[in-house]
Amino acid sequence: MGMFERWLTLWVGLAIVAGVSLGLVAPSAFASVAALELAHVNLVVAVLIWVMIYPMMIQIDFAAVRDVGRRPQGLVLTLVVNWLIKPFTMAALGVLFFQHLFAPWVDPQSASEYIAGMILLGVAPCTAMVFVWSQLTRGDPNYTLVQVSVNDLVMVFAFAPIAAFLLGVTDVAVPWETLLLSTALYVVLPLLAGVLTRRALGNGAALAGFVARLKPWSIVGLLATVVLLFGFQAETIVAQPFVIVLIAVPLVLQTYGIFAIAFVAARMMKLPYPVAAPACLIGTSNFFELAVAVAISLFGLHSGAALATVVGVLVEVPVMLSLVAVMRRTAHLFPDSGELF
């Protein structure tokens, strides 16, 4: 493990501090970057995520992808956790905390909007960052691609009905531009670039050397993304720290709880580690662009729902890094962990 990966938690912590500090010192600069959006997808963040996942896309072997159907258990686990468990546990936690435990500190209208934002996060499983977490845990890149692709396909049909059911509304408008553009930017284009690179370099030492040289840039992309995300929300973090903490508590519990469910299930199913790692992490991460876009369209830019989805963005990276560490340290509990670490 290189220096970047070994001390990644420290670098992310410093990036968070840097992001908040720079966001307070130069808010106009971050506002300009935040304005570079297309269909609620920030193009600068999209480029940085592209930098993060491109090295993993190069490692995808389509011959191996065709073999995924012979071991569908990990894919089944992903779909069950993402669509039959996660949205409903998120809704339950939102109600528990904001209608009961936190009721003395939050007015009913704000509470209902925070719950709505949490639900939208729960119904939007991650697309892009899964590739990053899978790479950090030494997950199988071929299997991760299939998991993400099938998950995105299900999202097209299941997002609106489940969100409408849990929100108690019938007019959930899915921002198709956000969904399709994000899929193209975060999956299709990096995958195409990876295929072309692999074809140009072959499968030998040239490819391995190129991937090794790219890995530090993948971490740099992650850190730059953290700086931007926290810089975008610096003023909100400083202005409403108590509210952000209240929203973060159930979101953190949800993340660790979903991971625990997937982890135990993967152990019981005896999934090989390279399959279990992305299967355990894909349900714990969120497709925040989609959740934020829907929250804004349904409840407004300055609503509690939009704020809750933003807090989901802020919580995700530090919490997911801790889960990456847990997965790596427990690799020996799964078959085929081999000499990965």
Side-chain angles (χ1 to χ4, degrees), residues 4-5 12 23 31 43 48 52 112 118 127-128 139 142 158 161 172 179 191 194 224 245 249 270 277 295 300 313 326:
F4 273 111
E5 289 186 47
V12 168
L43 299 181
L48 293 174
M52 282 187 271
S112 64
M118 291 176 58
T127 292
N142 309 304
V172 175
L179 182 56
L191 178 61
V245 170
V249 169
K270 299 181 179 178
V313 179
V326 170

Side-chain angles (χ1 to χ4, degrees), residues 244-307:
I244 288 172
V245 170
L246 292 183
I247 297 172
V249 169
L251 290 179
V252 170
L253 288 177
Q254 161 80 359
T255 304
Y256 284 115
I258 289 297
F259 175 82
I261 291 171
F263 185 91
V264 171
R267 285 270 291 140
M268 293 176 64
M269 296 168 71
K270 299 181 179 178
L271 295 181
Y273 176 80
V275 172
C280 290
L281 295 174
I282 191 171
T284 57
S285 193
N286 299 308
F287 189 174
F288 53 81
E289 295 92 346
L290 181 60
V292 171
V294 176
I296 291 173
S297 66
L298 285 178
F299 301 97
L301 177 62
H302 301 291
S303 65
L307 177 61

Side-chain angles (χ1 to χ4, degrees), residues 25-65:
V25 171
S28 58
F30 281 89
S32 299
V33 175
L36 298 174
E37 284 191 349
L38 182 61
H40 296 288
V41 175
N42 186 273
L43 299 181
V44 178
V45 173
V47 170
L48 293 174
I49 292 177
W50 208 92
V51 170
M52 282 187 271
I53 64 180
Y54 171 57
M56 186 172 186
M57 291 300 193
I58 298 174
Q59 301 173 63
I60 291 173
D61 181 359
F62 276 90
V65 168

Side-chain angles (χ1 to χ4, degrees), residues 139-204:
D140 183 339
N142 309 304
Y143 211 99
T144 303
L145 173 64
V146 173
Q147 287 175 309
V148 170
S149 300
V150 173
N151 210 51
D152 285 354
L153 182 62
V154 173
M155 194 176 342
V156 170
F157 299 99
F159 177 87
I162 295 178
F165 172 75
L166 291 175
L167 291 172
V169 297
T170 57
D171 57 348
V172 175
V174 177
W176 295 106
E177 299 88 351
T178 301
L179 182 56
L180 297 176
L181 180 62
S182 296
T183 302
L185 287 176
Y186 300 148
V187 180
V188 177
L189 290 180
L191 178 61
L192 179 61
V195 169
L196 295 176
T197 303
R198 191 180 182 92
R199 184 173 298 175
L201 296 178
N203 294 326

